[in-house]
Amino acid sequence: MKDVSVPDLTGKLAVVTGASDGIGLGLAVRLAQAGADLVLPVRDPVKGRAAVARVRSAAPGATVGLGELDLASLDSVASFAAKLGAEGRPVDILVNNAGVMSPATRHTTADGLELQFGTNHIGHMALVGHILPLLRAGRARVTTMSSSAARTGTFDWDDLQSERRYSPTRSYMRSKLANLVFGLELDRRSRAGGWGVVSNVAHPGTTLTNLYASGPNLGRERPSPLESVMRRFARLGLFVQTVDRGLLPALYAATSPLALGGRLYGPDGLGQFTGGPAELAVYKAARDEAVAARLWQVSERLAGVEFGA
């Protein structure tokens, strides 16, 4: 499989959410190896320090800073953004990567939102809204991580928070569709408003990370079998790829001069499970601009941010 050629990023500032392990950590390593300075906003400082050590081991001399960020708390998002703003350095690359997948029972964020929708989508939208001046100053590339699960996602406008009916998979698909719609709409609004921000979306196919254990085990008395099933597929070389491969679409989307705004990038293999990074057709569920405008309006209110003109 062809690797991604990353341009020289010396002097660029990259912020990667969810970089304490998995795809986020892999992306941080690749960006640091290309010369970027990094800020890694993490929820767990112990895992964060281990991630910094891993990045510095792979890219000696790299400038790597930690930030405290819990995307399931809008106060935490605002606090992290305020610290970045106080430093005043333009952000050149933002990768909205962190997420949670398919808790067995319904959980909520600190602000009462369904955990997946609130963390995966609203938390990231709040982050972008708060640091938009830094993104505009850096004429940033913003890459938001979605999933092929977005293909079958839907918005139930009367029950976005799954209060009436909760399904782990349905709520995950909704949050990933929201990620996709947000990333595309951000690019549209940037172009219309002259913000100078290039926004696109990527998905990693089926990549073996702890996402398959951490989320599905929330609310369960017995461990979910999902992780062991995924590991079995990985050993057989079927439908599952490693982190160093799964990160390539996002790495391409975030760094390549050929990767455009308003586009979706993901694996080019059968079913988009595995493969090299390629531009994909935007899923039908995310093409309706009226739906995107409605989600944007609702999400601004839930996130407590206003992007303005």
Side-chain angles (χ1 to χ4, degrees):
M1 186 187 300
K2 191 174 181 180
D3 195 9
V4 171
S5 178
V6 182
D8 182 12
L9 299 178
T10 301
K12 304 288 188 181
L13 178 63
V15 179
V16 183
T17 69
S20 58
D21 56 29
I23 287 175
L25 178 55
L27 285 169
V29 167
R30 292 295 302 269
L31 294 171
Q33 288 174 331
D37 299 335
L38 293 176
V39 173
L40 308 183
V42 298
R43 187 166 53 90
D44 184 337
V46 174
K47 291 180 68 175
R49 288 190 292 270
V52 169
R54 170 73 182 88
V55 172
R56 288 177 175 161
S57 174
T63 300
V64 191
L66 276 182
E68 184 178 339
L69 175 64
D70 181 357
L71 287 160
S73 164
L74 293 177
D75 283 345
S76 176
V77 175
S79 177
F80 169 73
K83 290 176 183 176
L84 268 188
E87 293 172 5
R89 183 174 175 184
V91 174
D92 300 280
I93 296 171
L94 170 64
V95 183
N96 294 321
N97 164 76
V100 61
M101 184 180 76
S102 303
T105 57
R106 185 179 182 275
H107 289 67
T108 57
T109 68
D111 305 282
L113 305 176
E114 189 276 316
L115 184 64
Q116 297 178 88
F117 191 83
T119 301
N120 300 351
H121 169 53
I122 296 298
H124 279 121
M125 184 168 184
L127 175 61
V128 172
H130 283 304
I131 68 170
L132 186 59
L134 300 180
L135 297 170
R136 293 183 66 170
R139 301 189 68 82
R141 181 76 63 96
V142 177
T143 296
T144 299
M145 193 71 81
S146 183
S147 165
S148 58
R151 277 182 289 196
T152 46
T154 59
F155 296 125
D156 181 345
W157 299 109
D158 295 321
D159 193 27
L160 272 182
Q161 306 306 319
S162 305
E163 295 172 289
R164 299 177 188 170
R165 186 176 60 160
Y166 176 75
S167 158
T169 303
R170 187 185 307 113
S171 295
Y172 179 69
M173 292 188 297
R174 177 175 299 158
S175 74
K176 292 288 102 179
L177 176 59
N179 285 147
L180 175 55
V181 171
F182 165 72
L184 301 179
E185 182 67 7
L186 176 62
D187 193 73
R188 278 193 288 267
R189 292 183 180 241
S190 175
R191 284 186 279 111
W195 299 347
V197 174
V198 174
S199 172
N200 56 28
V201 183
H203 85 74
T206 306
T207 300
L208 186 59
T209 70
N210 73 354
L211 202 65
Y212 289 97
S214 57
N217 284 327
L218 281 174
R220 291 181 63 96
E221 294 182 359
R222 296 180 179 179
S224 165
L226 184 57
E227 184 184 25
S228 63
V229 170
M230 298 303 294
R231 290 191 180 281
R232 191 172 304 120
F233 276 128
R235 286 194 298 270
L236 294 172
L238 297 172
F239 309 121
V240 180
Q241 59 191 1
T242 57
V243 165
D244 64 331
R245 295 302 181 188
L247 64 81
L248 293 181
L251 183 66
Y252 179 82
T255 65
S256 174
L258 300 177
L260 304 176
R263 309 296 173 90
L264 170 65
Y265 297 93
D268 61 1
L270 178 67
Q272 301 179 11
F273 293 111
T274 62
E279 182 180 331
L280 306 176
V282 172
Y283 306 140
K284 183 178 179 180
R287 294 177 195 164
D288 190 326
E289 293 187 18
V291 168
R294 183 174 184 179
L295 178 69
W296 189 277
Q297 182 179 33
V298 170
S299 299
E300 275 191 323
R301 176 176 55 80
L302 294 175
V305 294
E306 291 185 3
F307 284 72

